[in-house]
C-alpha cells in the first residue's frame, strides 16, 4: 500500500526549509564546535534540526525522530520514525564549500517508505517512495549502465575515526583507484548516494556511517534501479553502519575488490 501522501509532502517541505536555513547563513561567520577532533557541529546544524523537530512534533506528535544532533532511539522503533540529517556535509559547509544537503527518510517499522534529500546550492531535490520510483526535481531517475570498473566513476567518504584507521581506509580507496576510471570523495554521503541514483556516479562505499547519513539516499538508489547492501554484501540496514551502493551491474565487482582488500589486510570480511 502506498504511504500516506502527506508523508512525502512533509518530507519535501522539511528538506526545502532546511535548505533555506542553510543558505541564509552559508558563507557567513557562524559558530562551529567540535564533537571530536575532526567532527564539527555548527549553529546551523542545530537550528535546522530544531526547526525540523518542531515541524514533525506539530504535524505527527506520535511519530519518532532520529536525528544527528539531538539523537533519538538507536534501535529501530515500532511505527513511523523520521531519520534526519540537518546538514550532511557539515565540514564542507563550515569551510564554505557548496557540497552539502539535508537528508530525510521516513521508516515505518524499520522499512523505508519515503525519502527526500535537498541540495540547496544546486536546487536539486531528490525524492523517492518505496515502490514508486526515484525523482530529481520531479524527473524520474535511473542508475547508470556501466558494467566494468574500468569504465566507472566511484565515490566514497572517510569516517571521523579515519586518523585511527588511515591504512585501512586509504588502502581500500587505493584498491578502488587501481580498478576504476576515477574515484571521488565529496564529503556528503547522502549526495554520494543520490548521485549513484542519478547515474552521475556508478558506485559508492563507506563504513562507519549513521542511519541519518544513508537512510534517505539508500531508498533513492534502490528506487532508481540500483542495488544497496552492506560492504560485505549483507542485506542493507540503515543502522548497520556500512553501505555499498551501485548501479547493480558493478555490485559484485565492487564486493570482490572489498573482499580481496580485506583478505590482504587479514581482516575477516
Ligand atoms: C558525514 C558526511 C561525509 C561522510 C562522513 C559523514 P556529516 O556526515 O556524510 O561524507 O564521509 O562519514 O559522517 O557529519 O557531514 O553529517
Ligand atoms: Ca551526515
Ligand atoms: Ca550532519
Amino acid at each position: 500500500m502506498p504511504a500516506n501522501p502527506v508523508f512525502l509532502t512533509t518530507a519535501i517541505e522539511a528538506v526545502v526549509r532546511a535548505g533555506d536555513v542553510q543558505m541564509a547563513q552559508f558563507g557567513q561567520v557562524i559558530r562551529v564546535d567540535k564533537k571530536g577532533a575532526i567532527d564539527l557541529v555548527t549553529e546551523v546544524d542545530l537550528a535546522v534540526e530544531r526547526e525540523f523537530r518542531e515541524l514533525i512534533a506539530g504535524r505527527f506528535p506520535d511519530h519518532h525522530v532520529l536525528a544527528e544532533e539531538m539523537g533519538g532511539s538507536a534501535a529501530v522503533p515500532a511505527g513511523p520514525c523520521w531519520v534526519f540529517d540537518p546538514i550532511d556535509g557539515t565540514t564542507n559547509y563550515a569551510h564554505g564549500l557548496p557540497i552539502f544537503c539535508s537528508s530525510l527518510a521516513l521508516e515505518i517499522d524499520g522499512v523505508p517508505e519515503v525519502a527526500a534529500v535537498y541540495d540547496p546550492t544546486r536546487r536539486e531535490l531528490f525524492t523517492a517512495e518505496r515502490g514508486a520510483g526515484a525523482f530529481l526535481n520531479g524527473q524520474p531517475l535511473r542508475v547508470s549502465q556501466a558494467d566494468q570498473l574500468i569504465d566507472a566513476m566511484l565515490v566514497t567518504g572517510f569516517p571521523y575515526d579515519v586518523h585511527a584507521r588511515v591504512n585501512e581506509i586509504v588502502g581500500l580507496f587505493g584498491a578502488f583507484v587501481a580498478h576504476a576510471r576515477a574515484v571521488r570523495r565529496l564529503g556528503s554521503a547522502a549526495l554520494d548516494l543520490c548521485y549513484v541514483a542519478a547515474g552521475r556516479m556508478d558506485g559508492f562505499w563507506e563504513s562507519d556511517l549513521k542511519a541519518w547519513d544513508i537512510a534517505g539516499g539508500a531508498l533513492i538508489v534502490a528506487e532508481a534501479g540500483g542495488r544497496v547492501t552492506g560492504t560485505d554484501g549483507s542485506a542493507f540496514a540503515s543502522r548497520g553502519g556500512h553501505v555499498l551502493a551501485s548501479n547493480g551491474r558493478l555490485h559484485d565487482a565492487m564486493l570482490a575488490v572489498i573482499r580481496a582488500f580485506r583478505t590482504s589486510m587479514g581482516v575477516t570480511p
Side-chain angles (χ1 to χ4, degrees):
M1 210 175 58
N4 182 338
V6 176
F7 294 159
L8 181 61
T9 53
T10 299
I12 292 171
E13 185 181 336
V15 295
V16 171
R17 272 207 214 177
D20 290 344
V21 176
Q22 291 163 359
M23 291 314 287
Q25 308 243 48
F26 182 57
Q28 301 187 19
V29 178
I30 52 166
R31 186 186 162 132
V32 181
D33 289 315
K34 287 186 172 185
K35 297 193 279 186
I38 57 169
D39 189 1
L40 309 180
V41 55
T42 74
E43 60 181 282
V44 182
D45 295 78
L46 297 168
V48 170
E49 184 165 326
R50 232 175 272 121
E51 193 173 317
F52 172 74
R53 286 177 181 274
E54 277 165 24
L55 174 73
I56 299 301
R59 204 163 292 177
F60 308 113
D62 57 334
H63 286 195
H64 298 270
V65 170
L66 171 65
E68 179 166 11
E69 310 304 344
M70 295 159 209
S73 153
V76 177
C81 180
W82 297 86
V83 183
F84 183 60
D85 194 337
I87 304 180
D88 187 55
T90 292
T91 308
N92 288 346
Y93 186 87
H95 283 258
L97 181 67
I99 305 175
F100 58 85
C101 63
S102 60
S103 175
L104 180 58
L106 174 64
E107 298 178 342
I108 301 183
D109 297 328
V111 178
E113 296 289 349
V114 163
V117 172
Y118 184 54
D119 168 356
T121 64
R122 289 166 195 75
R123 295 181 188 229
E124 289 193 325
L125 173 66
F126 298 87
T127 55
E129 278 183 288
R130 188 164 63 89
F135 300 85
L136 166 52
N137 293 341
Q139 298 300 310
L141 283 181
R142 206 66 207 161
V143 292
S144 69
Q145 300 285 311
D147 59 3
Q148 304 288 325
L149 281 179
I150 196 63
D151 300 323
M153 182 146 80
L154 308 177
V155 63
T156 188
F158 301 154
Y160 288 120
D161 68 347
V162 63
H163 290 175
R165 302 195 289 136
V166 174
N167 291 347
E168 181 193 334
I169 303 293
V170 178
L172 183 56
F173 187 94
F176 276 113
V177 168
H179 287 86
R181 175 182 290 170
V183 184
R184 302 286 183 253
R185 190 275 195 256
L186 303 179
S188 165
L191 287 180
D192 295 340
L193 284 162
C194 289
Y195 291 174
V196 172
R200 296 171 183 174
M201 297 288 179
D202 304 295
F204 165 69
W205 81 95
E206 191 170 344
S207 59
D208 285 294
L209 291 159
K210 299 289 195 291
W212 46 77
D213 299 313
I214 50 180
L219 180 62
I220 293 169
V221 172
E223 288 298 327
R227 188 170 163 206
V228 187
T229 66
T231 51
D232 55 1
S234 58
F236 173 74
S238 62
R239 287 157 180 78
H242 50 101
V243 63
L244 172 61
S246 77
N247 64 2
R249 294 166 184 241
L250 291 170
H251 215 82
D252 289 342
M254 290 186 73
L255 278 173
V257 171
I258 295 170
R259 278 195 198 113
F261 174 73
R262 287 184 175 164
T263 304
S264 75
M265 292 281 288
V267 179
T268 317

